[in-house]
Amino acid sequence: MNKLTEAPGHIPHTGHPRKGFFTDTSICIGCKACEVACKEWNRNPHDSEFELLESSYDNTGSLGADTWRHVAFIEQDREHIDKARESGRALVSLGMPGIGPPGAPAAAAGTSPDVDTTPPNTPDFRWLMSSDVCKHCTNAGCLDVCPTGALFRTEHGTVVVQDDVCNGCGTCVAGCPFGVIERRSDGTAGVKGQRDFTPGEQAPTRNVGVAQKCTLCYDRMVDGQTPACAQACPTTSIKYGEREQMVSTAKERVAELHAQGLTEARLYGANDADGVGGTGSVFLLLDEPEVYGLPPDPRVPTADLPRMFKRAGLAAAGMLAAAAAAFLAGGRP
Amino acid sequence: MTVSDFDNYRPPEPPRRSKRGGKRRRAGAGQGPGETPMVPEAEFTSYYGRPVVKPPPWGDPISAYLFLGGVAGGSALLGLGGQLTGRPELCRNSRLAALASVGIGAAALVADLGRPERFLNMLRTIKPTSPMSLGSWILTAFSAGVGISAASEIDRMTGSRLPLGPLRKVLRTIEGPAGVEAALFATPLSAYTAVLLSDTANPTWNAAREDLPFVFVSSASLAAAGLAMITTPVQQAGPARVLAVLGVAGDLIATRAMEQRMDPVAAEPLREGAPGRMLAWSQWLAAAGGIGVMAGGRHRPVAAACGVALLTASALTRFGVLRAGIRSTEDPRYTIEPQKRRLAARRKAGIVDDSITTPG
Ligand code: SF4
Ligand code: SF4
């Protein structure tokens, strides 16, 4: 990544390790406890007219200004399951780096003799459930393009909006390769400082017109607490901790699944060499990322910014030259 | 797929909105029995056809700003040229045009903020990674020069009746340098908006990053020249006519080059639908305006008509590009297909260590 692009390593750390999530979708039961816990803790307004979206049990839709955890539901038949397994196997056979947990090389691909590597019987039907969240990217597009500095990197390596600074220009919305951050337009919820609102009465919405997204529960984190979603998750599908720890847990888990023949398992965001420098929120997926609505090859836009500046400079010089030529060739007044 | 007896009571499911590679439905699971399976193209399943990236909350005020910022930049250049080559009317009209367009443009920009009362936060910091931040500073610096030089013009037009007192002398002395200062920031003002759009995850704008600045500066040049041809008598508008022709040539060439060098899928929104029609009209109008200037630019009515055509062409370009980008976020295919293709291309080239998806 070029020098312009911001990354957690750029700020002098105060001795805090970088924190992150590991969302293991293979054990998610789709209870949406995380969605609810997030809304409650962050006092986020509801964002729909309570309509049914005809997308399995997902009636939330997508991440946005008012939804910081979103549980995706995908129904798949045998053909899709086979395809997912096949694409996972292809991924393994590409010989990408970092297969298996550290210290147990090659076991992932199923070469260990005492593990039964025959794929388990393919079920006729499966539900994929995945709790999506802001990725807290290593090279965050939203943060880079924010003109006011409202988006900043916390001492925990996460990306947070300062809602009293943001002027709602919306540049970050376009800058995020994952479609996470959004400008809040309206809603109904109360100010956090005034928690004791009258029950049953509509509390006022805060931060209207301002960009909003997951803060990884910055307010809980500074007190050493676990983010609301991770705390509420009954199956430990959402794990929270130091990012390095999360990545190695993820690698162990994917190796375990591969050893069971579930080659469809793969990690998303655990690679520091990817287009966003790796993500703070790592996922274990059971199919291609786009099936879950995730981009297959995200790239932080500022990675190409020096080149864009160069092209713009060239264009500006061209315009200047054209104007000069116009006056040279424009005859006498 | 019945999993329990109770499912018998379910009403029949409506057809899924899930898209397989967008509009072209491909052979695969769940397709009609009459379809013959074809060679599978780069197939993907999206999440119920829902967008992957979000559109920025930018509407017509931002398009108007892109247009007016270009007009202002080009006008400041014409103003400086008029100032240096002794064309007082071209100089005056261009300075006033620059002030008016930058003023309205900035107002449109503020109006589109979620919290307009916090617009000064734009100048809270200078951030090289944020084209919006750099652009705000460019706009501020530009406005300062344009404001001073235009104020002096207004004072002269009103017969020195502005209540300036001793400041009048100062104003007259610095109006020249102010015009130079404005012209210094004029080309960055016209070009940065292209970077602002391209430095995003928006599939169409980002894919256009190589050539969009050239489209935008050409569009700015022809628009400002068009405006000068309307406001200024033909005797002094010679440079404006040349600039108009150069701008048209640049616009036509750069737009072609942009569409050809972009990812073909990401370029589709520039060709299809309402934005596509706007951009096509913009090209025709620009060409007509350019030809008109060359054929009859020395006749005031023809020059004025060409000026209107060129201004319209520029406005259509800006509205078209902005809306095409917004549209490209509506269908996940514009995000997913180019990304899958570039990932596959890298893998084919033997680069396998930079994928976000890893087997472990
Ligand atoms: S996922 Fe989007 S909103 Fe979250 S840190 Fe990355 S770029 Fe920012
Ligand atoms: S909307 Fe707010 S957080 Fe987003 S880029 Fe603008 S100022 Fe920054």
Side-chain angles (χ1 to χ4, degrees):
Chain A
M1 212 60 64
N2 61 63
K3 278 203 204 78
L4 274 182
T5 309
E6 192 272 350
H10 287 194
I11 46 165
H13 272 284
T14 45
H16 295 277
R18 182 176 177 196
K19 290 287 175 38
F21 283 126
F22 166 43
T23 308
D24 182 354
T25 71
S26 68
I27 52 174
C28 175
I29 55 170
C31 68
K32 301 192 198 177
C34 49
E35 274 191 28
V36 175
C38 176
K39 281 244 188 218
E40 288 216 330
W41 177 260
N42 295 299
R43 290 269 158 226
N44 282 346
H46 72 77
D47 51 358
S48 80
E49 294 311 312
F50 303 113
E51 39 180 6
L52 299 180
L53 298 181
E54 294 173 13
S55 46
S56 190
Y57 283 100
D58 172 13
N59 294 305
T60 309
S62 60
L63 291 175
D66 305 330
T67 305
W68 300 350
R69 270 277 177 193
H70 163 236
V71 182
F73 287 77
I74 300 122
E75 297 173 17
Q76 288 191 334
D77 55 14
R78 177 186 282 265
E79 193 192 339
H80 279 106
I81 301 166
D82 286 342
K83 237 170 57 191
R85 191 154 294 167
E86 207 37 62
S87 71
R89 193 171 298 134
L91 210 57
V92 175
S93 63
L94 269 178
M96 287 185 184
I99 299 173
T111 45
S112 165
D114 28 294
V115 191
D116 181 12
T117 56
T118 25
N121 288 336
T122 310
D124 280 332
F125 171 83
R126 71 169 175 172
W127 244 314
L128 296 179
M129 285 155 291
S130 159
S131 181
D132 196 10
V133 69
C134 169
K135 315 297 174 293
H136 293 278
C137 311
T138 305
N139 303 118
C142 62
L143 193 160
D144 273 346
V145 301
C146 172
T148 63
L151 274 155
F152 77 114
R153 180 80 60 184
T154 70
E155 67 271 35
H156 305 284
T158 57
V159 181
V160 174
V161 188
Q162 306 173 70
D163 43 31
D164 50 348
V165 173
C166 170
N167 63 13
C169 70
T171 319
C172 54
V173 180
C176 171
F178 300 93
V180 170
I181 195 166
E182 196 181 26
R183 195 166 87 182
R184 179 169 288 170
S185 45
D186 58 0
T188 46
V191 181
K192 203 185 211 167
Q194 306 162 357
R195 269 283 153 82
D196 30 5
F197 57 94
T198 324
E201 270 181 29
Q202 201 71 289
T205 311
R206 61 194 192 106
N207 295 339
V208 172
V210 155
Q212 293 283 280
K213 75 169 192 71
C214 161
T215 66
L216 222 137
C217 282
Y218 192 27
D219 48 353
R220 295 170 68 96
M221 209 189 266
V222 291
D223 274 346
Q225 299 279 317
T226 304
C229 53
Q231 181 135 345
C233 177
T235 63
T236 68
S237 168
I238 301 174
K239 297 172 180 62
Y240 162 79
E242 290 179 24
R243 186 192 181 247
E244 269 174 37
Q245 183 60 44
M246 291 293 109
V247 171
S248 59
T249 312
K251 287 188 172 166
E252 277 163 31
R253 174 67 181 154
V254 82
E256 198 180 306
L257 290 173
H258 283 176
Q260 292 169 9
L262 297 166
T263 52
E264 65 266 40
R266 66 202 79 188
L267 297 185
Y268 187 78
N271 184 1
D272 287 346
D274 68 24
V276 294
T279 61
S281 316
V282 179
F283 297 82
L284 186 149
L285 303 178
L286 299 177
D287 203 336
E288 304 267 30
E290 59 270 21
V291 171
Y292 296 88
L294 295 166
D297 187 36
R299 185 171 161 81
V300 59
T302 37
D304 303 311
L305 192 56
R307 169 92 189 149
M308 287 186 235
F309 278 144
K310 238 180 251 160
R311 297 293 289 178
L314 209 59
M319 183 176 177
L320 203 60
F327 278 92
L328 287 177
R332 290 183 190 285
Chain B
M1 73 210 52
T2 303
V3 273
S4 102
D5 290 344
F6 296 109
D7 280 358
N8 293 330
Y9 300 108
R10 276 204 203 186
E13 280 197 19
R16 273 285 150 66
R17 264 175 292 154
S18 129
K19 285 191 188 155
R20 256 167 241 271
K23 284 169 293 172
R24 282 167 293 161
R25 291 233 154 221
R26 275 152 200 167
Q31 303 283 310
E35 275 181 51
T36 32
M38 290 185 291
V39 185
E41 290 177 56
E43 196 178 289
F44 75 92
T45 325
S46 76
Y47 187 67
Y48 300 104
R50 289 197 192 134
V52 174
V53 293
K54 286 202 163 43
W58 296 343
D60 291 345
I62 298 292
S63 311
Y65 168 71
L66 299 179
F67 166 62
L68 291 169
V71 174
S75 296
L77 286 182
L78 285 173
L80 177 67
Q83 176 187 328
L84 296 179
T85 60
R87 291 176 166 90
E89 272 189 74
L90 179 65
C91 174
R92 181 196 67 203
N93 293 345
S94 298
R95 282 176 173 181
L96 293 178
L99 179 66
S101 39
V102 82
I104 303 173
L109 203 57
V110 171
D112 218 52
L113 293 178
R115 288 291 185 92
E117 77 277 10
R118 293 190 190 161
F119 73 96
L120 274 180
N121 280 9
M122 285 289 188
L123 305 180
R124 194 175 159 265
T125 159
I126 300 182
K127 234 173 118 174
T129 55
S130 169
M132 185 67 107
S133 165
L134 295 184
S136 305
W137 285 102
I138 292 171
L139 182 65
T140 309
F142 177 84
S143 307
V146 157
I148 291 168
S149 57
S152 179
E153 293 292 353
I154 293 171
D155 185 45
R156 246 196 309 275
M157 280 163 72
T158 53
S160 302
R161 245 172 263 144
L162 289 190
L164 288 172
L167 282 180
R168 177 160 293 114
K169 252 208 193 110
V170 183
L171 191 62
R172 289 284 187 277
T173 340
I174 61 169
E175 71 169 303
V180 176
E181 190 264 359
L184 213 59
F185 287 97
T187 49
L189 180 69
S190 311
Y192 96 85
T193 44
V195 183
L196 172 70
L197 295 189
S198 287
D199 185 27
T200 60
N202 184 288
T204 297
W205 295 338
N206 188 258
R209 60 181 180 266
E210 282 290 296
D211 298 298
L212 196 60
F214 294 91
V215 175
F216 274 19
V217 295
S218 305
S219 187
S221 307
L222 64 86
L227 186 56
M229 291 191 314
I230 298 175
T231 56
T232 310
V234 287
Q235 292 81 4
Q236 295 202 3
R241 290 195 289 275
V242 180
L243 187 62
V245 174
L246 290 176
V248 169
D251 188 55
L252 296 179
I253 295 170
T255 309
R256 292 269 155 324
M258 177 176 82
E259 286 184 12
Q260 243 136 55
R261 299 209 293 175
M262 275 170 77
D263 182 283
V265 174
E268 270 176 31
L270 293 171
R271 300 204 183 94
E272 291 170 357
R277 278 195 299 279
M278 288 174 123
L279 287 166
W281 268 103
S282 141
Q283 299 286 285
W284 285 113
L285 278 174
I291 293 169
V293 172
M294 283 195 283
R298 285 172 193 284
H299 302 279
R300 190 74 194 271
V302 180
C306 290
V308 172
L310 293 178
L311 282 169
T312 317
S314 174
L316 283 172
T317 302
R318 310 311 179 98
F319 278 79
V321 168
L322 192 108
R323 289 192 186 173
I326 301 283
R327 217 171 148 245
S328 74
T329 61
E330 282 162 13
D331 193 329
R333 135 168 211 267
Y334 298 123
T335 309
I336 294 174
E337 274 192 26
Q339 290 195 4
K340 281 197 84 128
R341 194 157 3 157
R342 72 189 184 206
L343 183 62
R346 287 207 306 276
R347 281 185 182 157
K348 224 165 133 195
I351 308 168
V352 291
D353 63 344
D354 64 353
S355 165
I356 191 163
T357 321
T358 47

